[in-house]
Amino acid sequence: MRPRQEITDMFSTFAQLEGDRFSKWLTDHKLYKNIQNHLDHSSEALKSENFWALYWHKHWRSGSNNLAKMHLLAYLQESCYWTASKTVAKFTLRQHSLADYFQMAIAEVETILKDFNPEKCSSFKAYAIMAIPSRLKDILRQRKEADLCTNWALLRKVSKKLLSEALSEAGLSQSAIAQYRLAWTCFKQLYVQNQPGGTSKLPEPNRQLWEAIANLYNHQRQSQLTQPTLACNAQTIEQWLTQTALYVRAYLFPPVKSLNAFKQNDDTTVTFDLPDPSSSSPMADIIAQEDVQNRQNQISQMSAVLLKALQNMDVKTQEVLKLYYQQGLTQQQIMQQLQMSQPTVSRRLVKGRESMLAALIKWSQDLNISVNSNQIKDMSLALEEWLRNQYGEYNMNP
């Protein structure tokens, strides 16, 4: 992928993929004119890309500019592409293509925008580089969990609200939805509550249990259903619930279509067809707490590794890092304050960061996480952000 250099391109172009590879950048002329207009009519023309990322994020959050989200979607194209590229490289037998993973990442942009807090993280791209792979990893894990669940385990996990949404999405009538939902309620009453928790391999109910579920359904249908319905036998109830599980799977994770999304209109404006990112994944709601806990544990572990590496450095190197990141001194100013030569100051900065990066790489390898050059680059950005935040905290709490 050819990196974009100009601010106008960063916030107005979209990646076109052909044959599962990057092909070219397509320009949305409406976005291009908008960002160019801002550059031409403000004193902010020479600001950095991060300034403009934070600028558009602020306007997106306030709703004061209806193009802000599209500018940010364009800006994150590279981050989503490299995330997809690294993800597809991890799998020998691939269920999805690079374009599929790219589309999954793009669909998470709304979540990335919602979760980003400029008060805690000064670099929008550094945050995105960490957050997008994390979101994609969660999605793939959730898909895997859904695939591994038996129909009966999946029906135990699903909520009544989500079940109704899945049945409605499948095109069933309100009457049919009510019948399927009552069958599901009877199933949970007689089967799920008696099963051990935590397993994704719940066995299929036996014939005796299907008969009991059907009897309970027939007993409750007259009081629970608003429209009169016929009695059902065990075979019909089993068919309904099996079909319900299929509807739920399809609703949680609809099939991913290979990305052929970017189209050139007659007026040369780029349009694309992506899933609505404003609606969160229903499966994420089911296991959201687990995801949050896992992410928090990983961040805590990484922070502990970096803090230990920082504390193990010699005092002079720690002092150089503190002056550089906490007080914002230049190497020249640090040289004068500590009475060191400029090469010594530079060497201590480089060696200090390298030792912390080495600790982070080792921690990743200990967790059996493969590390390549692109991931090391991402870790370097994360380390830089961590150092700023770490010394920033010291600065606020002397």
Side-chain angles (χ1 to χ4, degrees), residues 104-120:
M104 291 181 198
I106 288 292
E108 293 302 305
V109 166
E110 182 89 3
T111 300
I112 301 303
L113 298 183
K114 289 178 180 177
D115 292 346
F116 175 66
N117 185 345
E119 296 180 358
K120 295 183 178 180

Side-chain angles (χ1 to χ4, degrees), residues 13 22 82-83 85 105 126 136 141 152 229 266 280 290 309 311 319 332 337 344 348 353 373 384 388:
T13 59
F22 172 79
W82 290 119
T83 295
S85 180
L136 187 55
R141 184 181 66 78
W152 325 118
T229 59
D266 293 338
S280 60
E290 178 186 346
Q311 293 170 343
E319 194 169 3
Q332 188 75 18
Q337 183 162 329
T344 300
R348 287 187 180 277
R353 286 187 292 235
S373 58
E384 196 73 13
R388 289 196 181 96

Side-chain angles (χ1 to χ4, degrees), residues 51-330:
F51 168 85
W52 287 107
L54 296 176
Y55 176 87
W56 292 121
H57 184 266
K58 177 181 177 181
H59 283 277
W60 168 81
R61 191 170 289 280
S62 67
S64 58
N65 189 308
N66 58 6
L67 293 180
K69 176 180 168 183
M70 295 301 298
H71 281 303
L72 293 169
L73 184 62
Y75 182 59
L76 292 179
Q77 293 286 295
E78 287 164 319
S79 299
C80 290
Y81 179 82
W82 290 119
T83 295
S85 180
K86 287 182 282 188
T87 301
V88 79
K90 293 179 181 179
F91 300 99
T92 304
L93 299 175
R94 300 189 319 213
Q95 181 180 0
H96 302 298
S97 67
L98 184 148
D100 294 331
Y101 291 126
F102 179 63
Q103 184 174 358
M104 291 181 198
I106 288 292
E108 293 302 305
V109 166
E110 182 89 3
T111 300
I112 301 303
L113 298 183
K114 289 178 180 177
D115 292 346
F116 175 66
N117 185 345
E119 296 180 358
K120 295 183 178 180
C121 182
S122 59
S123 171
F124 180 71
K125 177 169 279 189
Y127 172 81
I129 287 173
M130 297 178 64
I132 293 174
S134 177
R135 286 291 304 163
L136 187 55
K137 181 180 178 181
D138 285 345
I139 291 170
L140 295 175
R141 184 181 66 78
Q142 292 159 17
R143 285 180 179 272
K144 182 178 180 181
E145 179 170 315
D147 290 341
L148 289 176
C149 279
T150 64
N151 288 339
W152 325 118
L154 188 61
L155 290 178
R156 182 182 66 178
K157 287 175 178 280
V158 73
S159 67
K160 183 177 181 180
K161 177 177 180 294
L162 191 146
L163 183 88
S164 298
E165 291 172 354
L167 294 174
S168 178
E169 184 71 17
L172 273 65
S173 66
Q174 289 302 312
S175 176
I177 289 175
Q179 289 178 281
Y180 277 52
R181 194 166 54 201
L182 177 58
W184 169 76
T185 301
C186 297
F187 164 81
K188 291 190 72 172
Q189 288 179 0
L190 294 181
Y191 174 69
V192 174
Q193 291 183 358
N194 296 323
Q195 302 304 312
T199 178
S200 61
K201 296 294 184 182
L202 290 180
E204 182 176 355
N206 56 34
R207 184 51 48 191
Q208 182 180 2
L209 187 53
W210 281 125
E211 293 288 350
I213 294 172
N215 289 336
L216 181 60
Y217 171 87
N218 290 324
H219 176 72
Q220 293 188 358
R221 63 187 172 87
Q222 295 180 348
S223 60
Q224 298 295 324
L225 300 178
T226 57
Q227 297 183 9
T229 59
L230 298 175
C232 293
N233 58 30
Q235 185 178 5
T236 299
I237 294 293
E238 180 181 359
Q239 291 173 349
W240 281 0
L241 289 174
T242 300
Q243 189 62 52
T244 298
L246 295 178
Y247 289 147
V248 169
R249 289 185 194 277
Y251 180 67
L252 290 173
F253 296 111
V256 178
K257 295 182 290 185
S258 294
L259 189 64
N260 187 17
F262 296 98
K263 302 175 183 178
Q264 202 81 15
N265 289 342
D266 293 338
D267 61 359
T268 69
T269 296
V270 176
T271 62
F272 46 93
D273 180 21
L274 291 174
D276 179 11
S278 62
S279 58
S280 60
S281 165
M283 179 61 103
D285 294 335
I286 296 176
I287 56 176
Q289 191 60 45
E290 178 186 346
D291 292 340
V292 170
Q293 189 62 51
N294 288 340
R295 192 177 296 111
Q296 289 175 342
N297 290 340
Q298 191 174 45
I299 291 173
S300 297
Q301 291 173 21
M302 184 181 75
S303 183
V305 168
L306 292 175
L307 189 58
K308 182 178 180 181
L310 179 61
Q311 293 170 343
N312 287 339
M313 292 179 196
D314 62 89
V315 176
K316 285 293 184 182
T317 299
Q318 289 188 46
E319 194 169 3
V320 169
L321 289 170
K322 184 175 182 180
L323 291 173
Y324 185 80
Y325 286 101
Q326 181 175 331
Q327 299 186 22
L329 300 186
T330 65

